[in-house]
Amino acid sequence: MNKQDITLNDRYDLSKTEVLLNGPQALVRLMLMQKARDAAAGLNTGGYVSGYRGSPLGAVDFMMQRAGKELRAADITFEAGLNEDLAATALWGTQQAELRGEGRFDGVFGMWYGKGPGVDRTGDVFRHANMAGTSVNGGVLAVLGDDHTGESSTTLHQSEWALVDAMMPILSPAGIQEILDYGLIGYALSRYSGCWVGLKSMKDTIEVTSVVDTSPDRIKLTTPDDFDMPQGGVNIRLVDDRILQEARLHDYKRFAAEAFGRANRLDKRMFGKEGAKIGFVAAGKNWLDLTHALELLGIDDTEARRLGITTYKIAMTWPLDMTSFNEWAEGLDLIVVVEEKRKLLEVQIKEAIFDNRQGRRVYGWKNDRGEELFPTRYALEPVEIARKLGGILEEEGRATDRIKQGLELIDEAQRNNNAPEIASRLAYFCSGCPHNSSTKVPEGSRAYAGIGCHFMVQWMDRDTLGFTHMGGEGANWIGESHFSKRDHVFQNLGDGTYNHSGVQAIRAAQAAGTNITYKILFNDAVAMTGGQSNEGALDAVQIVRELKAMNIKHVALVYDPKEEIDLSKFPSDVAKYTRDDVMDVQEKMRDIKGVSAIVYVQTCAAEKRRRRKRGLFPDPDKRVFINPDVCEGCGDCGVQSNCVSIVPLETEFGRKRMIDQSSCNKDFTCVNGFCPAFVTVSGAKPRKSVGKQIDIPDLPQPDLPVINHTYNFVITGVGGTGVVTIGAILAMAAHLDGKGAGMMEMAGLAQKGGAVNIHCRIANDPGDISAIRVALGEADAVIGGDLVTTAGSATIGLMRQGRTRAVVNSHEISSPAISPATPNSPCRRSVCNWLCRRGSGLNRLISLMFPCWPRTCWGIRYFPT
């Protein structure tokens, strides 16, 4: 195979045009491209990026920091915000840089990033800054990380309406290419209209990897010549009044944005032609869903023209370019708006055609009979969209044999998608995680959970239930305490949340005189999003000193003595305890009136592992083993440690316990139980297993399958085992071979051992890939890194008899969701044996992998290795 001249450095090399990028990398590249466009236009501009991480934008700060050299060379500054609204305020400041004649650049183009709850938090800044305006040579993009299905969030959030309330135009890209394209459009739009511009990002559009065209001059833009600006323009002014700002925003800036969209024809007819009678409309992720649904129905451009169907892709979802829309909709009898969540396009479309209805119907949330089509809750899937569109076409007398055949295949796939959910790979605290110890409370006490890793404690035996938004931890108890028989609660709080905004909640509880003990875990890492450090170099000593400065009189330090903490740096009047005393400390604090605090210092277990590999963290020369001849299988070691490295061991005398040395992080809390089976070994190194020598002959080149439009991979596994890496390697291999590639990460809580699903499509041409998410029955190949995830109903449903082939890892991995660490629990057995007993879903998986095998449970032990 002839490989292209491609390196990993291409992603930020502006001389390279066809590049493989993921979403966060695309945002870095976007900043570099905007700088290059400005330089080509004779402008000397600077750039500024700030915000706060969170899925699906959890890696933005990481990628910006890694590209620091390239960004600095382009006069672009990345500065992670302490929280979202402070970051937005800093960006507001960048637009004022040249107003006083003190600016070093002609303007500063800025980027804010934050997930949906951060958008809500930042609403006040958005309103103020958008009314004030943007610099004529600057502009601001607000990248909105939305999680419509709540996979890694405490809410199922949709951010558009928050931006509409602040009157910020919104662009909705459908993938990595459009993140670049719409990003460049967004800066021009922001400068022209004087508005901050939202760029909606979701899992399907930013947590993906694609081959894209990154030419800085790819986008050609036009300045509207039919819009009259007010005196003095619409951009930010040094001296301005809020009343004039409001008038300018409502009377000019909103309509300037619409005029810009019209002049540049951002919204486009994609399928069909003028004179069609049925029109389908969508934007962003839902455009990908719509195109995928039409593919399932066998409708391409030629078929659409023959059937009198046309499609319209909207780039700017607010404000809608009414003129262009009405030109497209002329003569249509029926307009179908494919849109998930609360309807934004549908209401604007109905307004657009209100004065020229002429019997036209608009379907969206419901049809003309009041029947629900596309719900306002959760999310839409291509298969369900295809069923609804097929039904509409049948009603309208336009369902061809091709469409009916597509509907029959969908119905067949849905009938076969009946595997019960027999197990799930639930996220859990890592081996040796400080949360395993810090979240325990004395008998009779209760605690509130927190955001991030602290949220997971609610599905463990920790007497902890209930949470607030980020930064409100404990403030709920301020109100509840007045009306409760309980006198005191504990509140878990992470160092990242404390730094973000939680410190203010502590101040509120102190002001109210509330009886509460804050347990602040300093684990030196923002673990849920991948181990980033706290902004501002926050350390445990600073937290303790701040608490004392707030006049919190009772502050205790609890620490892990294995970590060689310098206790002399902490205030001398702060009581210091090892973590073995954590229960005693909590019992003392429980009896204290008012606000008290325990600062629990123990490094994140995953971060310990990373640092030990680099020689940057103490590594105890000791390991723990369980003697199976002595172990009675009671499970108390699991109760004491809450540790997933304690796994079942099947013996001829029954189920015992063993330590998984490959995942053990040397926390040693498992030895706290009264058990003679434990053995500690010092000065020893794990013996590497010596397998049989395998002589691999010269292998012939494989007969590659013919790619019919796309070839679809599904890769499953557990977080931390390299599943995302497999997807990245496949995508890069396809790119090296000159093919199109698209890869999407469905990781959720994978940082904590949760399920990971990678969807990857390979095509002969990048243009053949629209939606990357593999739909029902579309998987051609499944690489199963974990039996539980692979045998789950969500994965089984993507397979089809006769089409899908799978290679599945038979290694048994215990799951906390199935094997809770409770004494004498009969369910503390290996997941694979449990699956084997339950049967049906696994039988389906076996029959798909090996059609010649009978449809009976063969048992995991007979899986081919």
Side-chain angles (χ1 to χ4, degrees):
M1 293 183 286
N2 295 321
K3 301 294 185 294
Q4 299 187 93
D5 182 18
I6 293 170
T7 72
L8 293 177
N9 294 327
D10 293 353
R11 59 179 64 128
Y12 305 135
D13 183 349
L14 295 187
S15 68
K16 301 293 180 69
T17 55
E18 193 173 84
V19 182
L20 182 72
L21 293 175
N22 64 29
Q25 291 165 353
L27 294 178
V28 176
R29 178 92 183 198
L30 168 61
M31 298 298 289
L32 298 172
M33 292 168 67
Q34 182 60 44
K35 173 67 175 184
R37 286 171 66 92
D38 284 343
L43 290 174
N44 178 29
T45 57
Y48 185 76
V49 181
S50 190
Y52 196 82
R53 61 193 157 248
S55 177
L57 299 174
V60 173
D61 57 347
F62 179 67
M63 290 300 176
M64 291 285 176
Q65 288 163 352
R66 289 190 67 177
K69 180 180 178 181
E70 292 86 350
L71 292 174
R72 286 190 294 272
D75 298 313
I76 298 167
T77 299
F78 170 72
E79 199 164 53
L82 202 64
N83 59 35
E84 297 89 347
D85 55 311
L86 294 176
T89 307
L91 279 155
W92 183 8
T94 66
Q95 301 307 290
Q96 307 169 30
E98 74 272 14
L99 291 181
R100 297 172 177 83
E102 301 169 355
R104 296 191 294 113
F105 297 94
D106 297 331
V108 180
F109 55 95
M111 178 187 293
W112 176 93
Y113 63 93
K115 70 184 299 178
V119 172
D120 295 337
R121 178 185 181 88
T122 313
D124 191 23
V125 185
F126 284 158
R127 185 182 301 278
H128 277 84
N130 193 48
M131 288 181 67
T134 58
S135 169
V136 66
N137 293 322
V140 178
L141 286 182
V143 185
L144 324 170
D146 270 349
D147 185 1
H148 281 194
T149 55
E151 291 183 36
S152 58
S153 311
T154 54
T155 62
L156 285 70
H157 44 73
Q158 173 193 21
S159 294
E160 292 99 308
W161 285 97
L163 266 63
V164 170
D165 190 49
M167 297 193 71
M168 291 169 55
I170 307 162
L171 296 169
S172 188
I176 302 299
Q177 183 67 69
E178 290 185 357
I179 286 175
L180 295 173
D181 294 348
Y182 288 11
L184 297 175
I185 291 168
Y187 279 122
L189 169 61
S190 181
R191 292 172 177 180
Y192 178 77
S193 68
C195 293
W196 285 40
V197 174
L199 192 72
K200 184 176 176 71
S201 303
M202 299 176 59
K203 177 185 294 296
D204 293 64
T205 60
I206 198 165
E207 285 192 333
V208 299
T209 301
S210 300
V211 179
V212 291
D213 181 352
T214 59
S215 306
D217 58 353
R218 167 185 164 85
I219 300 297
K220 311 294 184 183
L221 296 172
T222 300
T223 301
D225 57 9
D226 58 351
F227 185 79
D228 295 326
M229 288 289 186
Q231 185 177 1
V234 292
N235 296 100
I236 194 168
R237 308 179 186 195
L238 184 59
V239 179
D240 208 356
D241 182 79
R242 63 200 183 283
I243 297 173
L244 297 177
Q245 285 179 353
E246 182 196 41
R248 200 179 305 124
L249 179 62
H250 285 263
D251 296 341
Y252 290 98
K253 292 166 72 170
R254 176 224 190 277
F255 297 104
E258 187 177 338
F260 183 90
R262 180 169 61 254
N264 289 283
R265 295 295 176 179
L266 300 185
D267 305 335
K268 296 180 175 65
R269 183 194 303 272
M270 302 301 288
F271 279 5
K273 59 183 180 180
E274 294 181 8
K277 295 302 179 184
I278 299 176
F280 300 143
V281 183
K285 180 258 183 185
N286 292 140
W287 173 257
L288 299 176
D289 294 335
L290 173 59
T291 56
H292 198 164
L294 294 177
E295 289 173 6
L296 294 173
L297 294 174
I299 299 175
D300 54 14
D301 183 47
T302 302
E303 186 72 358
R305 289 171 179 266
R306 193 177 71 80
L307 293 173
I309 296 171
T310 183
T311 62
Y312 195 60
K313 181 182 182 183
I314 294 179
M316 185 163 61
T317 55
W318 190 89
L320 179 66
D321 173 8
M322 301 282 193
T323 301
S324 298
F325 179 81
N326 274 309
E327 290 174 359
W328 170 78
E330 182 67 31
L332 291 177
D333 294 332
L334 174 62
I335 300 168
V336 181
V337 187
V338 179
E339 183 179 19
E340 65 191 30
K341 294 297 185 187
R342 183 179 168 192
K343 309 310 176 187
L344 176 60
L345 292 177
E346 183 181 344
V347 294
Q348 294 182 90
I349 286 169
K350 289 178 176 177
E351 179 185 353
I353 69 170
F354 184 81
D355 294 329
N356 187 26
R357 283 169 289 175
Q358 300 175 341
R360 284 187 288 183
R361 296 161 291 158
V362 177
Y363 290 179
W365 179 20
K366 298 180 179 180
N367 61 19
D368 56 357
R369 299 185 297 276
E371 299 166 341
E372 186 175 71
L373 287 177
F374 305 120
T376 57
R377 61 194 175 277
Y378 207 64
L380 300 180
E381 296 289 341
V383 169
E384 188 59 27
I385 294 172
R387 289 185 68 253
K388 296 293 177 66
L389 297 185
I392 290 170
L393 293 174
E394 284 184 322
E395 289 180 356
E396 300 297 317
R398 296 173 189 267
T400 62
D401 290 342
R402 191 171 172 181
I403 292 172
K404 291 177 180 177
Q405 183 181 9
L407 288 172
E408 288 174 1
L409 289 174
I410 290 171
D411 289 340
E412 179 186 356
Q414 289 188 317
R415 284 194 301 271
N416 292 334
N417 184 28
N418 58 6
E421 193 65 79
I422 57 177
S424 60
R425 182 64 69 187
L426 188 67
Y428 214 73
F429 294 150
C430 300
S431 300
C433 175
H435 292 82
N436 284 329
S437 301
S438 70
T439 54
K440 292 179 179 179
V441 295
E443 186 176 352
S445 293
R446 72 172 175 88
Y448 287 108
I451 293 297
C453 295
H454 272 118
F455 187 84
M456 296 193 298
V457 73
Q458 294 180 102
W459 52 76
M460 304 174 200
D461 184 17
R462 285 291 188 273
D463 296 309
T464 301
L465 192 62
F467 64 96
T468 68
H469 63 286
M470 193 172 187
E473 288 80 4
N476 52 336
W477 178 244
I478 295 175
E480 182 186 348
S481 61
H482 294 294
F483 310 97
S484 175
K485 297 176 182 178
R486 181 174 291 274
D487 185 55
H488 172 275
V489 297
F490 292 96
Q491 173 65 59
N492 292 297
L493 186 67
D495 51 358
T497 302
Y498 171 93
N499 203 28
H500 175 277
S501 51
V503 63
Q504 194 69 12
I506 300 175
R507 290 171 61 92
Q510 173 77 344
T514 306
N515 289 344
I516 187 171
T517 299
Y518 280 90
K519 294 200 295 179
I520 304 168
L521 172 63
F522 183 84
N523 67 346
D524 200 20
V526 183
M528 187 64 82
T529 53
Q532 295 102 319
S533 60
N534 285 300
E535 284 71 33
L538 178 75
D539 61 19
V541 176
Q542 180 182 336
I543 294 176
V544 170
R545 293 189 182 278
E546 286 179 354
L547 293 172
K548 296 292 289 183
M550 279 185 247
N551 201 30
I552 297 177
K553 294 182 173 58
H554 300 280
V555 179
L557 174 69
V558 175
Y559 65 97
D560 183 356
K562 296 191 302 296
E563 297 194 3
E564 302 176 7
I565 295 169
D566 186 353
L567 298 178
S568 66
K569 293 182 178 180
F570 292 87
S572 59
D573 60 342
V574 171
K576 302 168 183 67
Y577 305 87
T578 67
R579 63 175 185 164
D580 292 338
D581 300 320
V582 67
M583 283 300 185
D584 293 336
V585 176
Q586 291 183 89
E587 288 174 0
K588 292 177 182 177
M589 294 297 192
R590 184 172 59 180
D591 297 331
I592 293 171
K593 298 299 182 183
V595 177
S596 56
I598 300 170
V599 179
Y600 191 106
V601 181
Q602 183 182 337
T603 305
C604 167
E607 195 62 22
K608 277 184 188 176
R609 199 175 189 87
R610 295 187 188 102
R611 295 177 188 177
R612 281 172 176 164
K613 287 180 179 179
R614 304 181 186 122
L616 301 175
F617 199 85
D619 189 0
D621 189 13
K622 184 172 71 172
R623 288 184 176 271
V624 175
F625 296 85
I626 300 175
N627 185 341
D629 292 336
V630 181
C631 174
E632 295 183 354
C634 70
D636 186 55
C637 49
V639 174
Q640 296 297 325
S641 64
N642 201 47
C643 182
V644 294
S645 284
I646 298 177
V647 297
L649 175 66
E650 301 297 335
T651 74
E652 59 181 318
F653 299 107
R655 185 172 300 108
K656 305 296 185 78
R657 300 291 184 270
M658 65 177 289
I659 305 293
D660 183 352
Q661 296 295 329
S662 66
S663 63
C664 175
N665 284 318
K666 301 183 179 180
D667 186 57
F668 306 141
T669 50
C670 54
V671 303
N672 290 343
F674 182 73
C675 181
F678 278 81
V679 178
T680 56
V681 179
S682 299
K685 301 294 182 185
R687 182 174 55 193
K688 294 183 179 180
S689 59
V690 180
K692 294 181 179 179
Q693 183 68 33
I694 301 175
D695 294 324
I696 301 178
D698 292 334
L699 298 175
Q701 289 293 332
D703 294 327
L704 296 178
V706 175
I707 299 178
N708 182 15
H709 194 64
T710 63
Y711 190 87
N712 309 321
F713 288 93
V714 174
I715 309 160
T716 69
V718 181
T721 57
V723 180
V724 174
T725 302
I726 294 174
I729 289 172
L730 278 172
M732 178 57 80
H735 180 41
L736 287 168
D737 200 31
K739 291 181 168 53
M743 188 267 286
M744 179 172 68
E745 305 170 14
M746 304 174 70
L749 296 176
Q751 288 289 343
K752 297 296 148 190
V756 183
N757 293 274
I758 303 299
H759 290 202
C760 182
R761 291 182 186 263
I762 308 296
N764 289 319
D765 184 85
D768 292 337
I769 301 173
S770 53
I772 297 175
R773 185 187 293 265
V774 177
L776 201 65
E778 283 191 327
D780 293 299
V782 173
I783 301 174
D786 171 49
L787 279 167
V788 173
T789 310
T790 310
S793 60
T795 307
I796 292 286
L798 303 178
M799 306 182 197
R800 182 186 297 176
Q801 192 83 31
R803 173 174 180 171
T804 309
R805 289 293 178 265
V807 177
V808 184
N809 176 21
S810 62
H811 179 70
E812 302 178 6
I813 308 173
S814 184
S815 172
I818 297 170
S819 336
T822 53
N824 302 311
S825 171
C827 60
R828 185 70 171 164
R829 65 173 65 237
S830 83
V831 168
C832 297
N833 286 341
W834 189 88
L835 280 173
C836 182
R837 295 201 316 277
R838 291 296 295 271
S840 60
L842 194 59
N843 290 337
R844 291 193 60 202
L845 176 62
I846 294 172
S847 66
L848 284 164
M849 293 167 54
F850 309 104
C852 59
W853 285 15
R855 297 177 68 88
T856 57
C857 182
W858 285 78
I860 300 301
R861 66 180 67 89
Y862 297 118
F863 252 66
T865 57

